Amino acid sequence: MHTILAHPLVKHRVTLMRDENTKPKQFRELVNEITEFLAIESLKDLRTREVRVKTPVAEATGVKVEDSIVIVPILRAGMGMLGAMLRVLPYAKVGVLGMQRDESTAEPVPYYAKVPPAKNDDLAIVIDPMLATGGSACDAFAQLKKLGYRRIVFLNLIAAPEGIDRVEREHPDVPVFTAAKDDGLNEKFYIVPGLGDAGDRIFGTL
Ligand code: PRP
Ligand code: URA
């Protein structure tokens, strides 16, 4: 299942983010702002329990979030989305997966993993701005499943149809929330029109 955010405020920000003249400071701000929209849309069904709360006027019924959440950025570009995720979910744990695409084959090369083993029914929220071939995302989901995660959601900013299809084929149980679905991949496996190399634009390493 994949959901594309159709909100004009998201589309406005995606347009600014794509612009080659947008510098890292503004790029990072846009990444964070769009991530907040993605988080709010994707977490509508979080598990809650009813609680009573006393206001200065009377008692009211409210809810508390029950889900235990682990946010999993895929290094390096996924780190750009982490600040926004922790603002929305300040009590979440964070696990990281390091992965670097081999630029000639686009195959993901995992180089680091520090994710807590799944407890109970923890929800893992994987974050990475780009879903190109889908290799990195699928490798991340496979690693998380090995650690016992049964509930995984993927938030991403720009997706190619090839990546969405691959996730749906290999991990149909993982819902994908994306801000924009693009036309496809070029011969270097870059998303077209995309925004270039997300990691370089976030960290100013162009
Ligand atoms: C980018 C991006 C994803 C991956 C997407 O990372 O952040 O992790 O490529 O491509 P895929 O869907 O074809 O796997 P990259 O490997 O460039 O590393 P970086 O985040 O360190 O820049
Ligand atoms: N990784 C990126 O950062 N950009 C792309 O277009 C594809 C993979």
Side-chain angles (χ1 to χ4, degrees):
M1 192 268 289
H2 76 269
T3 302
I4 298 157
L5 296 196
H7 202 292
L9 293 173
V10 173
K11 289 183 180 173
H12 176 93
R13 286 170 170 79
V14 168
T15 307
L16 291 172
M17 193 176 59
R18 289 188 195 277
D19 189 334
E20 63 181 359
N21 294 313
T22 298
K23 301 279 182 291
K25 176 180 182 291
Q26 193 192 3
F27 191 88
R28 284 193 291 270
E29 288 164 2
L30 291 164
V31 166
N32 274 286
E33 289 166 12
I34 297 166
T35 301
E36 286 194 21
F37 282 95
L38 284 168
I40 286 160
E41 178 65 24
S42 63
L43 299 174
K44 282 197 291 207
D45 297 326
L46 273 186
R47 295 172 185 173
T48 58
R49 82 182 144 83
E50 209 172 274
V51 293
R52 295 289 289 166
V53 61
K54 204 162 163 315
T55 80
V57 180
E59 278 220 349
T61 303
V63 296
K64 276 206 166 161
V65 171
E66 280 257 278
D67 257 327
S68 156
I69 295 167
V70 182
I71 303 165
V72 184
I74 302 181
L75 301 180
R76 165 187 63 142
M79 291 301 285
M81 300 168 73
L82 183 59
M85 292 304 293
L86 285 172
R87 263 196 303 283
V88 175
L89 299 164
Y91 302 110
K93 292 183 220 166
V94 178
V96 299
L97 291 175
M99 237 174 278
Q100 178 75 52
R101 277 204 325 175
D102 177 321
E103 289 303 335
S104 52
T105 62
E107 282 303 311
V109 183
Y111 60 84
Y112 185 73
K114 189 88 183 172
V115 180
K119 272 206 204 108
N120 309 320
D121 218 8
D122 282 351
L123 173 67
I125 307 175
V126 178
I127 52 175
D128 190 329
M130 308 305 274
L131 175 60
T133 65
S136 307
C138 287
D139 195 295
F141 307 150
Q143 290 192 52
L144 291 172
K145 286 178 181 177
K146 261 196 200 145
L147 289 167
Y149 287 89
R150 289 175 295 170
R151 297 170 63 219
I152 303 172
V153 177
F154 181 50
L155 309 191
N156 111 286
L157 303 186
I158 311 270
E162 292 89 333
I164 291 176
D165 290 349
R166 180 161 172 188
V167 171
E168 283 186 343
R169 216 172 39 246
E170 296 184 15
H171 297 276
D173 54 318
V174 177
V176 178
F177 291 82
T178 189
K181 182 177 176 184
D182 276 9
D183 299 340
L185 300 174
N186 67 14
E187 64 294 344
K188 290 182 172 165
F189 307 105
Y190 268 73
I191 300 175
V192 181
L195 47 73
D197 188 302
D200 282 344
R201 297 199 62 184
I202 290 168
F203 294 108
T205 49
L206 283 165

